[in-house]
Amino acid sequence: ISEEAGEDALLMSGAGEGDINEPIREAYSARVRWLVANLGTALIASLIIALFGAAIEQLVALAVLMPIVASIGGNAGTQTMAVTVRAIATNQLTRSNTRRILMREIRVAVLNGLTIAVLVGLATGVIFTPMLGGVIALAMVINVITAGLAGVLVPVAFERLDQDPAVASSVFVTMITDSMGFFAFLGLAADPKFRLKLLTLNHLVVPSARPTRSWRLPTRVSDSQPALPKGSQPSTWRARFASSRRRTCAWSGPTAPA
C-alpha cells in the first residue's frame, strides 16, 4: 500500500516514476509533456480572464481577489482528487458505488464552500464593500462545489478509459477549478446589476478612470477671454453692454463740483 501510494503521488504530479537515478532524457520526456499540457490548460483560464478585461480595468478589487478564488478552488479539488485516487487504488471506489461516493463528496463540498464563503465574504465586506463580499462568497460556493465534482469525475474518467487515474489528474482538475472560479467570480462582478453598484464606490474604481476637473478660477480677464486686438471695438451686443455699463458705473458718488 505504501509503494502504491508513493507511485500515485509521483504520477499525480506528472514526475514519472520518480527514480533519482533515472537518465536525464527519460526524466525530461516524462515531465515536459505534462508541463506542456498544463500550459495549454492555463491558456483556457487566461482566455476567460481576457473576456472580462474591461471589468477588471474598472474594478481594482477584482484583480486583488482573483488569486483567492483560484487558490481555494485548486486546494479543494486536490483534496477530493487525492481521496478519490486512493479509493480507486484500494478498490473502495468501484462502478457500483460511484454515485454514492459522488453524492457524498458533493455534500462535503457544499459544507466546505459555505464555510469558506462566510469567512471570505465577511472579510471582503469589511475591507471593501458588502456587495463585493456577497459576489465573492457566491463565487466561492460555486467553485468549491465544482472542485468537488472535478476531483471525483476526473480520476473516475481516467479509470473508465483504462488509464491510471493518478496520471497528472491535477493538471485537469486545476484547469477546471481555475476556469470555473474565474468565470463565476468575474461573471457575477461584470453583471450589470452588480457592476453598476460597484462602480459607484470610489475606492473600487481605478484612479485614472475617474473624470478629472479643473476648478481653478481665472484671475485675470485674459485667462478666460482672448484679448481683443488693439484699436478694435467689441463686436457683440453683450460686450458693448458691458463696456457701456463700466463707463456709467465708473463714478457712483455725487457729481464733482465744476
Side-chain angles (χ1 to χ4, degrees):
I1 295 176
S2 177
E3 292 178 357
E4 181 68 20
E7 181 184 356
D8 290 344
L10 290 170
L11 292 174
M12 286 172 62
S13 64
E17 297 182 359
D19 187 359
I20 196 65
N21 297 317
E22 186 179 12
I24 294 178
R25 178 173 297 180
E26 294 181 4
Y28 164 76
S29 61
R31 300 181 189 184
V32 72
R33 56 185 177 182
W34 294 115
L35 292 177
V36 174
N38 192 11
L39 176 61
T41 57
L43 290 177
I44 297 177
S46 300
L47 291 176
I48 294 177
I49 295 175
L51 293 177
F52 302 97
I56 298 175
E57 290 179 358
Q58 294 179 339
L59 301 175
V60 180
L62 298 183
V64 176
L65 298 173
M66 280 169 52
I68 299 177
V69 178
S71 176
I72 295 297
N75 290 334
T78 301
Q79 289 177 349
T80 307
M81 180 186 60
V83 173
T84 304
V85 170
R86 182 180 180 277
I88 294 175
T90 57
N91 292 326
Q92 295 180 0
L93 177 59
T94 60
R95 292 177 179 267
S96 60
N97 63 354
T98 300
R99 178 171 297 182
R100 181 175 60 85
I101 297 298
L102 180 62
M103 297 304 298
R104 174 186 176 275
E105 292 298 328
I106 290 177
R107 288 194 291 269
V108 173
V110 169
L111 294 177
N112 289 336
L114 291 176
T115 303
I116 299 300
V118 170
L119 296 176
V120 176
L122 289 176
T124 304
V126 172
I127 298 175
F128 296 101
T129 62
M131 177 63 67
L132 190 58
V135 170
I136 192 174
L138 182 57
M140 198 67 69
V141 172
I142 296 174
N143 196 22
V144 173
I145 294 176
T146 303
L149 289 172
V152 175
L153 295 179
V154 170
V156 168
F158 273 98
E159 194 269 337
R160 297 289 173 85
L161 295 173
D162 294 330
Q163 300 294 326
D164 194 334
V167 177
S169 296
S170 60
V171 174
F172 299 97
V173 172
T174 302
M175 181 268 294
I176 295 173
T177 55
D178 287 351
S179 301
M180 181 55 65
F182 292 145
F183 184 78
F185 180 50
L186 298 177
L188 289 173
D191 186 84
K193 291 183 292 186
F194 290 104
R195 189 176 181 184
L196 182 60
K197 294 180 180 180
L198 293 176
L199 285 176
T200 59
L201 306 174
N202 292 332
H203 65 284
L204 294 179
V205 180
V206 179
S208 60
R210 299 175 185 169
T212 57
R213 297 179 181 178
S214 178
W215 298 102
R216 185 179 64 86
L217 296 177
T219 56
R220 299 192 305 270
V221 177
S222 59
D223 291 339
S224 58
Q225 297 178 356
L228 295 175
K230 191 173 182 180
S232 64
Q233 298 296 330
S235 58
T236 63
W237 65 273
R238 291 184 180 178
R240 289 196 296 268
F241 175 77
S243 178
S244 62
R245 187 177 181 183
R246 284 196 298 270
R247 287 197 301 269
T248 56
C249 296
W251 174 255
S252 60
T255 306

